[in-house]
Amino acid sequence: MNYQFSTRVPKTNEDPVGNILKVAGSSDVISFAGGLPAPELFPVEALKKVTNEVYDQEGRSALQYSIAAGYPKLREQIVARMAQSGINTTVDNVMISTGSQQSIDLTAKMFINPGDTVIVEQPTYLCALDVFRSYGANLVGVEMDDDGMKMMALETALQAHPNTKFIYTIPSFQNPTGRTMSVARRQKVIELAEKYDVIILEDDPYGAIRFAGTAVAPIKHFDQSGRVIYMSTFSKILAPGMRLGWIVADTALIKKFTLMKQSADVHSDNLTQHIVARFMAEYDIDAHIQKIQSVYGQRERVMVAAMAEHFPASVHYSRPEGGLFIWVEIPGNIDTQALFETCIAHNVAFVPGDPFYPNAATPGTFRLNYSTMAEDQIKIGIERLGTAIKETMANAVKV
Ligand SMILES: Cc1ncc(COP(=O)(O)O)c(C=O)c1O
């Protein structure tokens, strides 16, 4: 049958990242390609205990339909957590979502008409790019440096694209670069959004996982006029399989989000919302997050030390102060796909940079993940990667 798909459906069935993860998943390969939280840190026993309590004490309400905005108690707890990170808000400004991926999708659905411009960091989270593309967005990438999006380039993009609907940014420990936007730029991005009358979509799944440096307030902290839509998630601080996230935004926007959420999935899993609320009431989630910070921080330091030992001095890499990723940039016109194949021959894998770019990719770039790997595996894997990089660079020079 010749199916007449809508324009939102991708034209091809190709899944380049899925293919990479498949190759990287072979048992001989040390893979830095994934982006998963460490499963050994999931608080399984505590979640089991509170789940039983939810069934015993509030089973009938937790298993019932509920309101689209989300379980009020959980929203109150989120308001308290947000205050800790510098966002003063109210329950009416919070909506629970089925993970940040849904928050991104609902925001795109709410604002993007085909042809509207969305400005993104370059590179950025590839599944957000897929969402924006599906709504027909014109994607404009803004270059970054170690302090995040470059503000002059952002202003040039805003001037060149008066039909910009929003700026999408992951200001803390960005996926894929691990970079954090400086405080000065957080203030500047608000100033530019005011000047050009656009919205900011602040995607913050990693902000709580800081293991070095000093805390930086979210962009939302500096928002005076309700133009920042802030989103975060329990995926990286608790467990991604629970599929729970939240949006903090102006009440006028939350009303629209709630209507759209109703059409999308009625509400996020009510049982899981009760479980997470009870977990946070009975356990110290900050102590749990500190454990995550300490394990990821140690793995990141081991990876960076191994990179300093085994990578050629000309290779640049980010030094994340939190989150899950390091971004590597090899100078010269290195073919990232050829490097990937050499790496697979050496039984080590990463995600090539290409899919993270809204348009043309910078060659010789790739993402490394350190959250799921034991320290000895990190050391061996980075040594293999160093060998593959040296081989590829030597071959590139010969050509
Ligand atoms: C930048 C970014 N945004 C959103 C998400 C989606 O998170 P969730 O599991 O809450 O849907 C991810 C997941 O890795 C991410 O890296």
Side-chain angles (χ1 to χ4, degrees), residues 371-388:
S371 56
T372 50
M373 198 73 53
E375 289 175 29
D376 57 338
Q377 292 293 95
I378 294 177
K379 288 181 192 161
I380 299 166
I382 292 296
E383 184 172 357
R384 290 181 189 171
L385 190 50
T387 308

Side-chain angles (χ1 to χ4, degrees), residues 30-334:
I30 295 180
S31 176
F32 302 121
L36 307 180
E40 69 273 23
L41 296 173
F42 297 156
V44 176
E45 285 309 313
L47 287 170
K48 192 168 142 190
K49 178 175 169 286
V50 292
T51 301
N52 284 335
E53 288 171 7
V54 168
Y55 275 118
D56 289 344
Q57 296 170 34
E58 38 186 344
R60 297 197 185 278
S61 60
L63 291 168
Q64 186 55 282
Y65 278 122
S66 186
I67 52 171
Y71 182 33
K73 184 165 175 199
L74 181 61
R75 282 154 61 217
E76 277 163 26
Q77 290 166 317
I78 287 170
V79 167
R81 288 198 61 70
M82 289 287 83
Q84 270 172 254
S85 70
I87 297 175
N88 288 317
T89 192
T90 75
V91 171
D92 293 336
N93 294 85
V94 175
M95 186 186 85
I96 304 295
S97 69
T98 306
S100 284
Q101 193 61 34
Q102 182 182 54
S103 308
I104 295 168
D105 186 67
L106 291 177
T107 310
K109 200 173 186 180
M110 197 146 100
F111 287 104
I112 303 172
N113 288 318
D116 286 345
T117 293
V118 171
I119 295 181
V120 299
E121 283 149 352
Q122 178 174 296
T124 190
Y125 175 49
L126 65 100
C127 300
L129 293 176
D130 288 342
V131 172
F132 302 150
R133 284 191 186 108
S134 76
Y135 289 101
N138 166 43
L139 292 173
V140 173
V142 169
E143 286 208 358
M144 310 171 79
D145 59 20
D146 287 339
D147 282 338
M149 209 182 243
K150 291 184 185 168
M151 290 298 123
M152 268 166 69
L154 174 60
E155 180 147 26
T156 306
L158 285 163
Q159 277 163 353
H161 300 280
N163 67 340
T164 299
K165 277 290 174 67
F166 58 81
I167 302 164
Y168 171 69
T169 173
I170 309 157
S172 296
F173 323 129
Q174 197 234 22
N175 182 2
T177 64
R179 291 169 181 149
T180 294
M181 189 187 280
S182 64
V183 180
R185 288 194 191 174
R186 287 172 194 235
Q187 287 165 315
K188 183 73 184 174
V189 76
I190 293 265
E191 194 187 307
L192 291 175
E194 293 284 345
K195 183 170 168 190
Y196 293 91
D197 194 20
V198 297
I199 287 163
I200 297 170
L201 179 51
E202 179 177 24
D203 185 9
D204 188 28
Y206 305 107
I209 320 243
R210 173 178 283 281
F211 47 70
T214 40
V216 189
I219 298 173
K220 181 79 184 154
H221 170 80
F222 303 102
D223 180 21
Q224 301 289 331
S225 59
R227 65 175 65 246
V228 179
I229 298 172
Y230 174 93
M231 50 189 61
S232 190
T233 173
F234 288 103
S235 288
K236 307 297 175 340
I237 57 172
L238 203 51
M242 301 186 101
R243 308 304 308 128
L244 276 191
W246 66 93
I247 296 174
V248 181
D250 193 80
T251 48
L253 290 176
I254 290 294
K255 282 183 189 147
K256 297 283 185 211
F257 272 122
T258 308
L259 290 173
M260 300 185 74
K261 170 90 180 149
Q262 251 158 14
S263 325
D265 61 353
V266 186
H267 56 73
S268 294
D269 185 323
N270 196 26
L271 178 63
T272 313
Q273 292 188 64
H274 278 71
I275 292 167
V276 171
R278 196 170 264 268
F279 174 83
M280 287 204 286
E282 288 187 21
Y283 293 88
D284 182 353
I285 192 168
D286 287 314
H288 174 66
I289 294 170
Q290 273 167 22
K291 265 190 239 158
I292 301 175
Q293 291 164 342
S294 137
V295 171
Y296 291 5
Q298 177 59 16
R299 289 179 183 171
E300 187 263 358
R301 285 188 291 278
V302 169
M303 184 172 268
V304 168
M307 289 162 90
E309 189 178 343
H310 298 294
F311 281 15
S314 60
V315 172
H316 184 271
Y317 43 86
S318 58
R319 271 306 314 258
E321 295 186 332
L324 277 68
F325 305 111
I326 294 178
W327 185 246
V328 183
E329 294 164 302
I330 304 180
N333 218 3
I334 295 290

